[in-house]
Amino acid sequence: MLERSSISTSMHASGRARPIEWIVAPGVVGYAEAVAEMEARVAAIADGEAAERVWLVEHPALYTAGTSAREGDLLDARFPVHRTGRGGQFTYHGPGQRVAYVMLDLKRRRPDVRAFVAALEAWLIETLAAFDITGERREDRVGVWVPRPDKPAGIDGAPAEDKIAALGIRVRRWVSFHGVALNVAPDLAHFSGIVPCGIAQAHYGVTSLRDLGLKATMSDADRALRATFEARFGETTG
């Protein structure tokens, strides 16, 4: 099986394509509302009745459980818990975290889910590079990780790493939805109510742009996300 790092991550549409709608939601968006909106849009895209869309939101504090979530990984249900159809395990969403819901027609791009996941990871890595942060992918851990030589290593000597961006997708009729979450400046203590993404080792933690010493705003993150997205997936509008 090919490693994700060796998969081509070009995801431009074949032929002439309408620009992808790029929408930034004001304020916070409820999770159930977001899922309903995504499902309606995915159906319209699959039927050829709507353009592809990237929808950037912030959620109120909540936990989501993906299709692989283990009940024991919910340590403290201090926030609402939403069961969802995306891949992955438990994760946290809340203010200060940029969630990007990506609704693309993979039939017109590349009907390959592994390649799409690799492309999303590459997009996040390129976004972090815009802030001079080296993000890395791991074959046994989906998402984007930052080496933390300033933190204690694992008991086996493995270097410490923190996750700065999570990823969980679903595909219906070859249209993608759900997407990625980049930690800009969330309250990292809120992650302690779960085992994030099922990874319990003490030397694997969670970080954010702010935690790494950057004063980047959500608008700064959005600009970087859009520029690097267009380079990999194509023109956006809105």
Side-chain angles (χ1 to χ4, degrees):
M1 182 179 292
L2 287 175
E3 295 184 349
R4 294 197 311 281
S5 58
S6 66
I7 297 173
S8 170
T9 57
S10 175
M11 275 286 167
H12 286 267
S14 58
R16 294 182 62 85
R18 286 187 289 179
I20 302 158
E21 290 184 358
W22 186 274
I23 297 176
V24 181
V28 297
V29 177
Y31 190 76
E33 172 189 344
V35 172
E37 173 67 22
M38 279 192 289
E39 290 186 341
R41 187 68 177 204
V42 164
I45 293 170
D47 290 338
E49 298 173 353
E52 298 170 299
R53 173 180 288 179
V54 177
W55 186 25
L56 275 60
V57 308
E58 281 183 274
H59 287 305
L62 57 92
Y63 297 128
T64 66
T67 55
S68 301
R70 299 184 294 260
E71 290 305 314
D73 288 345
L74 179 61
L75 306 177
D76 177 8
R78 68 187 75 166
F79 303 121
V81 178
H82 296 265
R83 310 289 167 174
T84 181
R86 63 158 175 80
Q89 302 188 44
F90 277 102
T91 193
Y92 165 78
H93 295 314
Q97 182 190 72
R98 174 55 84 205
V99 176
Y101 289 128
V102 182
M103 291 160 268
L104 299 181
D105 186 349
L106 300 186
K107 295 192 304 297
R108 297 172 48 243
R109 295 176 176 276
R110 191 173 173 188
D112 183 329
V113 174
R114 282 181 59 82
F116 181 56
V117 169
L120 293 175
E121 289 176 330
W123 169 36
L124 291 165
I125 288 169
E126 290 160 4
T127 298
L128 292 170
F131 297 100
D132 295 322
I133 294 174
T134 300
E136 300 175 356
R137 58 164 59 92
R138 296 289 179 260
E139 290 305 319
D140 59 338
R141 291 177 263 131
V142 174
V144 178
W145 296 79
V146 177
R148 297 302 301 264
D150 54 317
K151 293 187 173 182
I155 57 175
D156 60 353
E161 298 180 344
D162 284 345
K163 192 170 192 175
I164 193 167
L167 186 156
I169 65 164
R170 188 172 182 180
V171 175
R172 180 180 295 162
R173 296 170 64 191
W174 284 113
V175 179
S176 67
F177 58 123
H178 296 281
V180 304
L182 174 64
N183 294 334
V184 179
D187 185 340
L188 297 180
H190 290 174
F191 285 88
S192 64
I194 56 172
V195 178
C197 301
I199 299 171
Q201 295 94 322
H203 60 293
Y204 295 145
V206 182
T207 190
S208 66
L209 296 182
R210 182 172 64 184
D211 184 52
L212 293 173
L214 278 77
K215 296 182 179 179
T217 65
M218 194 67 76
S219 294
D220 294 332
D222 290 349
R223 282 191 292 272
L225 283 164
R226 187 168 188 171
T228 52
F229 179 91
E230 289 189 328
R232 185 162 300 279
F233 293 92
E235 181 185 0
T236 64
T237 185

PDB file of all heavy atoms in Angstrom, residues 161-180:
ATOM      1  N   GLU A 161       5.571  15.326  19.985  1.00  0.00           N
ATOM      2  CA  GLU A 161       4.933  15.999  18.867  1.00  0.00           C
ATOM      3  C   GLU A 161       3.544  16.460  19.301  1.00  0.00           C
ATOM      4  O   GLU A 161       2.903  15.802  20.125  1.00  0.00           O
ATOM      5  CB  GLU A 161       4.791  15.062  17.663  1.00  0.00           C
ATOM      6  CG  GLU A 161       6.108  14.575  17.118  1.00  0.00           C
ATOM      7  CD  GLU A 161       5.929  13.648  15.932  1.00  0.00           C
ATOM      8  OE1 GLU A 161       4.811  13.134  15.711  1.00  0.00           O
ATOM      9  OE2 GLU A 161       6.923  13.452  15.218  1.00  0.00           O
ATOM     10  N   ASP A 162       3.086  17.569  18.742  1.00  0.00           N
ATOM     11  CA  ASP A 162       1.748  18.075  19.024  1.00  0.00           C
ATOM     12  C   ASP A 162       0.961  18.179  17.729  1.00  0.00           C
ATOM     13  O   ASP A 162       1.491  18.577  16.680  1.00  0.00           O
ATOM     14  CB  ASP A 162       1.809  19.461  19.675  1.00  0.00           C
ATOM     15  CG  ASP A 162       2.200  19.409  21.143  1.00  0.00           C
ATOM     16  OD1 ASP A 162       2.158  18.320  21.739  1.00  0.00           O
ATOM     17  OD2 ASP A 162       2.551  20.483  21.684  1.00  0.00           O
ATOM     18  N   LYS A 163      -0.318  17.848  17.818  1.00  0.00           N
ATOM     19  CA  LYS A 163      -1.201  17.965  16.661  1.00  0.00           C
ATOM     20  C   LYS A 163      -1.733  19.387  16.583  1.00  0.00           C
ATOM     21  O   LYS A 163      -2.270  19.914  17.563  1.00  0.00           O
ATOM     22  CB  LYS A 163      -2.355  16.970  16.782  1.00  0.00           C
ATOM     23  CG  LYS A 163      -3.166  16.792  15.514  1.00  0.00           C
ATOM     24  CD  LYS A 163      -4.127  15.621  15.665  1.00  0.00           C
ATOM     25  CE  LYS A 163      -4.752  15.220  14.350  1.00  0.00           C
ATOM     26  NZ  LYS A 163      -5.597  14.007  14.489  1.00  0.00           N
ATOM     27  N   ILE A 164      -1.621  19.988  15.422  1.00  0.00           N
ATOM     28  CA  ILE A 164      -2.095  21.355  15.246  1.00  0.00           C
ATOM     29  C   ILE A 164      -3.294  21.422  14.311  1.00  0.00           C
ATOM     30  O   ILE A 164      -4.034  22.413  14.313  1.00  0.00           O
ATOM     31  CB  ILE A 164      -0.960  22.267  14.718  1.00  0.00           C
ATOM     32  CG1 ILE A 164      -1.360  23.747  14.833  1.00  0.00           C
ATOM     33  CG2 ILE A 164      -0.551  21.905  13.299  1.00  0.00           C
ATOM     34  CD1 ILE A 164      -0.202  24.703  14.635  1.00  0.00           C
ATOM     35  N   ALA A 165      -3.548  20.362  13.562  1.00  0.00           N
ATOM     36  CA  ALA A 165      -4.683  20.349  12.646  1.00  0.00           C
ATOM     37  C   ALA A 165      -5.232  18.935  12.532  1.00  0.00           C
ATOM     38  O   ALA A 165      -4.475  17.977  12.396  1.00  0.00           O
ATOM     39  CB  ALA A 165      -4.285  20.870  11.268  1.00  0.00           C
ATOM     40  N   ALA A 166      -6.555  18.822  12.608  1.00  0.00           N
ATOM     41  CA  ALA A 166      -7.233  17.532  12.508  1.00  0.00           C
ATOM     42  C   ALA A 166      -7.958  17.434  11.171  1.00  0.00           C
ATOM     43  O   ALA A 166      -8.216  18.443  10.502  1.00  0.00           O
ATOM     44  CB  ALA A 166      -8.223  17.363  13.654  1.00  0.00           C
ATOM     45  N   LEU A 167      -8.300  16.202  10.811  1.00  0.00           N
ATOM     46  CA  LEU A 167      -8.930  15.964   9.526  1.00  0.00           C
ATOM     47  C   LEU A 167      -9.913  14.808   9.655  1.00  0.00           C
ATOM     48  O   LEU A 167      -9.598  13.785  10.262  1.00  0.00           O
ATOM     49  CB  LEU A 167      -7.837  15.632   8.503  1.00  0.00           C
ATOM     50  CG  LEU A 167      -8.191  15.479   7.030  1.00  0.00           C
ATOM     51  CD1 LEU A 167      -6.941  15.762   6.201  1.00  0.00           C
ATOM     52  CD2 LEU A 167      -8.699  14.071   6.713  1.00  0.00           C
ATOM     53  N   GLY A 168     -11.109  14.983   9.126  1.00  0.00           N
ATOM     54  CA  GLY A 168     -12.098  13.906   9.091  1.00  0.00           C
ATOM     55  C   GLY A 168     -13.080  14.188   7.978  1.00  0.00           C
ATOM     56  O   GLY A 168     -13.661  15.277   7.929  1.00  0.00           O
ATOM     57  N   ILE A 169     -13.232  13.256   7.067  1.00  0.00           N
ATOM     58  CA  ILE A 169     -14.072  13.511   5.907  1.00  0.00           C
ATOM     59  C   ILE A 169     -15.125  12.413   5.735  1.00  0.00           C
ATOM     60  O   ILE A 169     -15.038  11.338   6.333  1.00  0.00           O
ATOM     61  CB  ILE A 169     -13.247  13.621   4.601  1.00  0.00           C
ATOM     62  CG1 ILE A 169     -12.587  12.271   4.275  1.00  0.00           C
ATOM     63  CG2 ILE A 169     -12.242  14.743   4.691  1.00  0.00           C
ATOM     64  CD1 ILE A 169     -12.089  12.176   2.856  1.00  0.00           C
ATOM     65  N   ARG A 170     -16.092  12.713   4.915  1.00  0.00           N
ATOM     66  CA  ARG A 170     -17.058  11.740   4.443  1.00  0.00           C
ATOM     67  C   ARG A 170     -17.256  12.007   2.955  1.00  0.00           C
ATOM     68  O   ARG A 170     -17.130  13.151   2.508  1.00  0.00           O
ATOM     69  CB  ARG A 170     -18.374  11.865   5.196  1.00  0.00           C
ATOM     70  CG  ARG A 170     -19.375  10.757   4.882  1.00  0.00           C
ATOM     71  CD  ARG A 170     -20.582  10.821   5.792  1.00  0.00           C
ATOM     72  NE  ARG A 170     -21.508   9.722   5.509  1.00  0.00           N
ATOM     73  CZ  ARG A 170     -22.657   9.542   6.158  1.00  0.00           C
ATOM     74  NH1 ARG A 170     -23.001  10.380   7.127  1.00  0.00           N
ATOM     75  NH2 ARG A 170     -23.444   8.539   5.853  1.00  0.00           N
ATOM     76  N   VAL A 171     -17.541  10.973   2.206  1.00  0.00           N
ATOM     77  CA  VAL A 171     -17.778  11.113   0.770  1.00  0.00           C
ATOM     78  C   VAL A 171     -19.097  10.449   0.432  1.00  0.00           C
ATOM     79  O   VAL A 171     -19.354   9.305   0.827  1.00  0.00           O
ATOM     80  CB  VAL A 171     -16.638  10.479  -0.048  1.00  0.00           C
ATOM     81  CG1 VAL A 171     -16.953  10.526  -1.542  1.00  0.00           C
ATOM     82  CG2 VAL A 171     -15.309  11.184   0.231  1.00  0.00           C
ATOM     83  N   ARG A 172     -19.965  11.196  -0.261  1.00  0.00           N
ATOM     84  CA  ARG A 172     -21.266  10.675  -0.674  1.00  0.00           C
ATOM     85  C   ARG A 172     -21.448  10.983  -2.155  1.00  0.00           C
ATOM     86  O   ARG A 172     -21.343  12.138  -2.556  1.00  0.00           O
ATOM     87  CB  ARG A 172     -22.381  11.312   0.151  1.00  0.00           C
ATOM     88  CG  ARG A 172     -23.797  10.828  -0.197  1.00  0.00           C
ATOM     89  CD  ARG A 172     -24.831  11.525   0.672  1.00  0.00           C
ATOM     90  NE  ARG A 172     -24.676  11.150   2.085  1.00  0.00           N
ATOM     91  CZ  ARG A 172     -25.204  11.856   3.096  1.00  0.00           C
ATOM     92  NH1 ARG A 172     -25.895  12.960   2.846  1.00  0.00           N
ATOM     93  NH2 ARG A 172     -25.035  11.457   4.335  1.00  0.00           N
ATOM     94  N   ARG A 173     -21.669   9.940  -2.941  1.00  0.00           N
ATOM     95  CA  ARG A 173     -21.802  10.100  -4.400  1.00  0.00           C
ATOM     96  C   ARG A 173     -20.578  10.827  -4.957  1.00  0.00           C
ATOM     97  O   ARG A 173     -20.677  11.641  -5.855  1.00  0.00           O
ATOM     98  CB  ARG A 173     -23.108  10.815  -4.745  1.00  0.00           C
ATOM     99  CG  ARG A 173     -24.362  10.026  -4.342  1.00  0.00           C
ATOM    100  CD  ARG A 173     -25.622  10.862  -4.468  1.00  0.00           C
ATOM    101  NE  ARG A 173     -25.879  11.252  -5.854  1.00  0.00           N
ATOM    102  CZ  ARG A 173     -26.779  12.148  -6.215  1.00  0.00           C
ATOM    103  NH1 ARG A 173     -27.522  12.743  -5.287  1.00  0.00           N
ATOM    104  NH2 ARG A 173     -26.959  12.477  -7.477  1.00  0.00           N
ATOM    105  N   TRP A 174     -19.436  10.548  -4.383  1.00  0.00           N
ATOM    106  CA  TRP A 174     -18.144  11.125  -4.772  1.00  0.00           C
ATOM    107  C   TRP A 174     -18.053  12.640  -4.524  1.00  0.00           C
ATOM    108  O   TRP A 174     -17.191  13.311  -5.089  1.00  0.00           O
ATOM    109  CB  TRP A 174     -17.771  10.787  -6.209  1.00  0.00           C
ATOM    110  CG  TRP A 174     -17.292   9.378  -6.335  1.00  0.00           C
ATOM    111  CD1 TRP A 174     -17.897   8.356  -6.975  1.00  0.00           C
ATOM    112  CD2 TRP A 174     -16.088   8.831  -5.763  1.00  0.00           C
ATOM    113  NE1 TRP A 174     -17.163   7.191  -6.842  1.00  0.00           N
ATOM    114  CE2 TRP A 174     -16.046   7.463  -6.099  1.00  0.00           C
ATOM    115  CE3 TRP A 174     -15.043   9.362  -4.994  1.00  0.00           C
ATOM    116  CZ2 TRP A 174     -15.028   6.608  -5.709  1.00  0.00           C
ATOM    117  CZ3 TRP A 174     -14.010   8.512  -4.608  1.00  0.00           C
ATOM    118  CH2 TRP A 174     -13.994   7.163  -4.959  1.00  0.00           C
ATOM    119  N   VAL A 175     -18.933  13.150  -3.676  1.00  0.00           N
ATOM    120  CA  VAL A 175     -18.790  14.534  -3.221  1.00  0.00           C
ATOM    121  C   VAL A 175     -18.344  14.499  -1.761  1.00  0.00           C
ATOM    122  O   VAL A 175     -18.939  13.797  -0.939  1.00  0.00           O
ATOM    123  CB  VAL A 175     -20.102  15.321  -3.366  1.00  0.00           C
ATOM    124  CG1 VAL A 175     -19.936  16.755  -2.854  1.00  0.00           C
ATOM    125  CG2 VAL A 175     -20.561  15.333  -4.829  1.00  0.00           C
ATOM    126  N   SER A 176     -17.301  15.251  -1.456  1.00  0.00           N
ATOM    127  CA  SER A 176     -16.738  15.257  -0.105  1.00  0.00           C
ATOM    128  C   SER A 176     -17.491  16.223   0.790  1.00  0.00           C
ATOM    129  O   SER A 176     -18.060  17.220   0.331  1.00  0.00           O
ATOM    130  CB  SER A 176     -15.262  15.665  -0.145  1.00  0.00           C
ATOM    131  OG  SER A 176     -15.128  17.027  -0.534  1.00  0.00           O
ATOM    132  N   PHE A 177     -17.506  15.919   2.095  1.00  0.00           N
ATOM    133  CA  PHE A 177     -17.932  16.904   3.082  1.00  0.00           C
ATOM    134  C   PHE A 177     -17.261  16.610   4.408  1.00  0.00           C
ATOM    135  O   PHE A 177     -16.418  15.720   4.503  1.00  0.00           O
ATOM    136  CB  PHE A 177     -19.448  17.053   3.191  1.00  0.00           C
ATOM    137  CG  PHE A 177     -20.260  15.831   3.530  1.00  0.00           C
ATOM    138  CD1 PHE A 177     -21.081  15.827   4.640  1.00  0.00           C
ATOM    139  CD2 PHE A 177     -20.258  14.705   2.718  1.00  0.00           C
ATOM    140  CE1 PHE A 177     -21.884  14.735   4.949  1.00  0.00           C
ATOM    141  CE2 PHE A 177     -21.066  13.615   3.005  1.00  0.00           C
ATOM    142  CZ  PHE A 177     -21.867  13.624   4.128  1.00  0.00           C
ATOM    143  N   HIS A 178     -17.610  17.392   5.450  1.00  0.00           N
ATOM    144  CA  HIS A 178     -16.769  17.557   6.639  1.00  0.00           C
ATOM    145  C   HIS A 178     -15.430  18.125   6.145  1.00  0.00           C
ATOM    146  O   HIS A 178     -15.409  18.832   5.146  1.00  0.00           O
ATOM    147  CB  HIS A 178     -16.658  16.260   7.427  1.00  0.00           C
ATOM    148  CG  HIS A 178     -17.992  15.828   7.986  1.00  0.00           C
ATOM    149  ND1 HIS A 178     -18.542  16.382   9.118  1.00  0.00           N
ATOM    150  CD2 HIS A 178     -18.897  14.930   7.511  1.00  0.00           C
ATOM    151  CE1 HIS A 178     -19.725  15.822   9.352  1.00  0.00           C
ATOM    152  NE2 HIS A 178     -19.975  14.952   8.381  1.00  0.00           N
ATOM    153  N   GLY A 179     -14.313  17.915   6.807  1.00  0.00           N
ATOM    154  CA  GLY A 179     -13.102  18.553   6.318  1.00  0.00           C
ATOM    155  C   GLY A 179     -11.990  18.615   7.334  1.00  0.00           C
ATOM    156  O   GLY A 179     -11.590  17.590   7.898  1.00  0.00           O
ATOM    157  N   VAL A 180     -11.482  19.848   7.605  1.00  0.00           N
ATOM    158  CA  VAL A 180     -10.289  20.012   8.426  1.00  0.00           C
ATOM    159  C   VAL A 180     -10.546  21.041   9.523  1.00  0.00           C
ATOM    160  O   VAL A 180     -11.462  21.854   9.430  1.00  0.00           O
ATOM    161  CB  VAL A 180      -9.074  20.451   7.578  1.00  0.00           C
ATOM    162  CG1 VAL A 180      -8.815  19.466   6.446  1.00  0.00           C
ATOM    163  CG2 VAL A 180      -9.269  21.864   7.016  1.00  0.00           C
TER     164      VAL A 180
END
